[in-house]
Amino acid sequence: QVQLVESGGGLVQTGGSLRLSCKASGRILSINDMGWYRQAPGKQRELVAAIVSGGTTNYADSVKGRFTISRDNAGNTVYLQMNSLKPEDTAVYYCNARLRTSYIAYAINYWGQGTQVTVSS
């Protein structure tokens, strides 16, 4: 069984910073991609940032230059440093990991439970 546990959400004022963490645990053979998605009320879930095992990153245009994704491969942990936060960044942020649990299993996606980020104006 695999679990992704997020932490670090909260309430912050416009221009502030937050750092999200997500640790994957359980029966994990290898992790390919890790990333963060978010979903605001009434909107679809969207990709915020992703990082592959080699370190290549990908960001949504709306967060480029403000958010930084990083990864601790040994600790199966992914981070999202969020700076210069705006009210439109308010959403539930979900951690995602595409991983394999054994040599005979394909890589599949796992999700965290989500953490609320609220940016006040």
Side-chain angles (χ1 to χ4, degrees):
Q1 188 173 356
V2 174
Q3 281 190 314
L4 272 62
V5 179
E6 300 129 332
S7 61
L11 173 65
V12 65
Q13 291 186 333
T14 297
S17 298
L18 284 173
R19 188 187 194 216
L20 305 183
S21 299
C22 172
K23 182 173 177 61
S25 63
R27 184 174 178 174
I28 297 171
L29 175 64
S30 62
I31 301 178
N32 296 0
D33 310 331
M34 299 189 81
W36 291 93
Y37 289 71
R38 67 186 181 187
Q39 188 167 19
K43 295 188 177 181
Q44 288 188 330
R45 190 173 297 189
E46 62 176 0
L47 174 69
V48 176
I51 183 167
V52 300
S53 58
T56 301
T57 58
N58 181 37
Y59 295 92
D61 288 342
S62 59
V63 306
K64 284 180 181 177
R66 300 188 297 121
F67 291 10
T68 302
I69 189 170
S70 60
R71 177 172 171 173
D72 171 11
N73 288 328
N76 292 337
T77 302
V78 64
Y79 305 95
L80 185 68
Q81 178 65 44
M82 303 185 294
N83 298 328
S84 302
L85 282 160
K86 305 175 181 179
E88 51 264 43
D89 295 318
T90 296
V92 178
Y93 284 69
Y94 296 91
C95 174
N96 171 269
R98 188 165 65 91
L99 59 88
R100 297 177 67 191
T101 57
S102 73
Y103 287 106
I104 61 172
Y106 290 104
I108 61 174
N109 281 312
Y110 289 84
W111 293 90
Q113 79 285 355
T115 186
Q116 178 70 46
V117 171
T118 303
V119 184
S120 64
S121 57

